[in-house]
Amino acid sequence: MARSNRCEVVDPSEVQVFHVISRTTRACWLFGEDAISGKNYDHRKVWIEEYLQRFAACFAIDLLSFAILSNHFHLVLRSRADIVKTWDDTEVARRWLMICPERRDDQGNPMAPSASELDRIRKCPKKLAEIRERLSNISWWMRLLNQRIAQRAHMEDDTRGHFFEGRFKAVPLVDEEAVLACSVYVDLNLIRACLAETIELSDHTSAQRRVESVQASQQAPPDESNASVVDNTPTAVPQARRADAFLSPVNLHEANAPVGPQPSKTNARCSDKGFLTMSEENYLEVLDWSARHLAAGKRGCTPKGYPPILERLGLSPTLWLSLVANFGSLFSTIAGRPDHLDTERTKQTGRRFYVPKQARDLFGQAA
């Protein structure tokens, strides 16, 4: 089935969540151990994660989850046009010039833009409007991310040509069930591929970064002068030093969180708004529970009591495991409960989205 035009599902002026996948050309292992050339490119995973941190700090886009494998990577992104509206013209210009700098230091890092560089953007209404739109556009995020990776790899290998296959794939996630299932699917990629046994050993994933932060906050000695609030939870570790500081917090805190966009109080990420109605610890429990049923060679069994989140969302264990294991094949264009997807329409032509029979049957079993 041919892919839909991206303009049918992506609207930069809306707050939307997407599952994004980008693959290297011909599925070559250009981020890992390449069996053909015998070269190891694992260090490029570090590049990608560094770019993700830089982009998360500058774009009006929340990075919810990520996983970097040897020939592709997964991202869960949330566009935040509402955040861009909170930035003045100088902030818009500054952020863009930190993404696409006119000057770099000796280490190749962006230098703080000068007043004249800022003026070339903030004093040109047309250019300023274009950049405001770009900063919350996942197509621009992916365009610049893949461009940086490809250029750096070509320079390293002294090669030319396509580095990534075609365009990246972007699947909208229209409800919380889809966001949760997709985030778990992304975070468990290395376990499913038999490249790791546990989430804390899943290198270059958002799950590993969240586990590192939880462990660090538990091990750090209490120090009121050094305390901060992360994910609306007091912690002794400053957010700037947290391994997951560039990721969106998990918990939405619907009962007591402030209303509105919630721009980040740090320079590490776009906003402090969570994306699920559960705590970070509960999310990690769901990950661990799911991993025990998915990882090859695991002897774990279904626990006597199901995680509360499954009951709260009305998902049975069988449905949940099927969703996480087969998320990519079940939802190739748009993701969510079939009844929710039936109410969605394409942005340009107003057509209904195709929902595979397998997905309808799966949710029908849980009804």
Side-chain angles (χ1 to χ4, degrees):
M1 181 178 176
R3 292 189 196 176
S4 302
N5 291 331
R6 188 157 293 136
C7 62
E8 295 284 14
V9 296
V10 178
D11 185 348
S13 67
E14 296 181 1
V15 176
Q16 294 179 283
V17 182
F18 295 91
H19 174 210
V20 178
I21 311 168
S22 194
R23 300 182 182 276
T24 56
T25 184
R26 299 183 182 179
C28 296
W29 287 32
L30 299 179
F31 303 141
E33 186 76 33
D34 185 23
I36 298 177
S37 66
K39 295 181 179 179
N40 186 292
Y41 298 112
D42 281 335
H43 61 282
R44 291 177 178 171
K45 296 174 184 175
V46 178
W47 295 357
I48 298 174
E49 193 164 344
E50 289 174 347
Y51 286 132
L52 291 179
Q53 293 186 35
R54 184 179 301 176
F55 280 27
C58 296
F59 272 94
I61 294 175
D62 290 322
L63 177 60
L64 311 187
S65 305
F66 73 90
I68 306 169
L69 287 85
S70 295
N71 61 4
H72 69 286
F73 61 83
H74 296 260
L75 307 176
V76 180
L77 302 173
R78 179 172 59 189
S79 58
R80 299 299 305 275
D82 57 335
I83 291 288
V84 180
K85 294 176 181 178
T86 69
W87 297 338
D88 61 23
D89 295 348
T90 298
E91 182 66 6
V92 168
R94 185 193 69 80
R95 286 176 175 269
W96 182 253
L97 290 171
M98 293 303 291
I99 299 169
C100 300
E102 296 187 9
R103 294 175 297 116
R104 297 178 183 271
D105 60 21
D106 295 338
Q107 285 73 44
N109 297 315
M111 296 180 65
S114 65
S116 61
E117 291 169 346
L118 293 170
D119 284 343
R120 282 196 285 272
I121 295 176
R122 60 189 176 186
K123 291 188 176 182
C124 178
K126 182 178 179 180
K127 189 171 186 179
L128 184 65
E130 289 177 351
I131 289 176
R132 279 188 178 276
E133 188 274 338
R134 291 177 185 179
L135 285 173
S136 62
N137 191 327
I138 66 161
S139 291
W140 272 93
W141 169 298
M142 291 302 299
R143 173 181 177 175
L144 295 176
L145 175 63
N146 285 357
Q147 183 184 78
R148 305 285 166 80
I149 297 168
Q151 288 176 343
R152 192 167 175 179
H154 284 320
M155 185 177 298
E156 181 181 66
D157 294 338
D158 192 22
T159 57
R160 300 175 63 183
H162 291 290
F163 187 86
F164 290 98
E165 66 169 20
R167 59 176 182 167
F168 67 89
K169 182 178 180 181
V171 178
L173 309 177
V174 303
D175 51 34
E176 185 179 0
E177 293 91 336
V179 173
L180 174 59
C182 186
S183 294
V184 172
Y185 167 78
V186 168
D187 276 330
L188 295 185
N189 249 257
L190 271 71
I191 294 176
R192 291 171 53 251
C194 299
L195 298 176
E197 291 186 348
T198 63
I199 55 178
E200 58 267 30
L201 296 178
S202 298
D203 294 336
H204 303 292
T205 64
S206 48
Q208 186 183 58
R209 298 293 164 263
R210 296 190 192 280
V211 169
E212 290 172 351
S213 294
V214 170
Q215 291 174 333
S217 64
Q218 293 173 343
Q219 295 171 1
D223 180 0
E224 291 184 2
S225 64
N226 201 30
S228 63
V229 176
V230 180
D231 201 8
N232 286 358
T233 304
T235 174
V237 182
Q239 183 167 324
R241 293 191 308 198
R242 283 179 61 107
D244 65 348
F246 64 105
L247 298 172
S248 171
V250 173
N251 203 335
L252 276 167
H253 290 286
E254 292 182 314
N256 53 17
V259 177
Q262 298 179 39
S264 179
K265 298 177 181 178
T266 74
N267 59 0
R269 62 191 178 198
C270 166
S271 78
D272 293 332
K273 194 178 188 68
F275 60 98
L276 294 172
T277 54
M278 67 170 72
S279 68
E280 186 175 53
E281 289 75 13
N282 284 342
Y283 175 70
L284 294 177
E285 287 177 1
V286 171
L287 273 180
D288 182 67
W289 184 86
S290 301
R292 293 176 188 276
H293 293 76
L294 292 173
K298 281 282 186 178
R299 295 186 296 174
C301 60
T302 303
K304 294 181 180 179
Y306 303 141
I309 185 63
L310 299 182
E311 298 176 357
R312 186 161 64 249
L313 293 179
L315 298 175
S316 69
T318 302
L319 170 60
W320 172 252
L321 293 175
S322 296
L323 274 177
V324 174
N326 304 303
F327 190 90
S329 59
L330 287 172
F331 305 110
S332 60
T333 302
I334 188 170
R337 286 182 176 274
D339 56 324
H340 292 171
L341 299 184
D342 288 340
T343 66
E344 297 290 322
R345 296 293 184 271
T346 59
K347 304 297 181 183
Q348 300 293 318
T349 60
R351 296 178 180 175
R352 293 178 59 179
F353 288 99
Y354 169 73
V355 181
K357 182 178 183 298
Q358 183 184 4
R360 292 190 184 277
D361 292 345
L362 185 61
F363 279 89
Q365 294 171 13

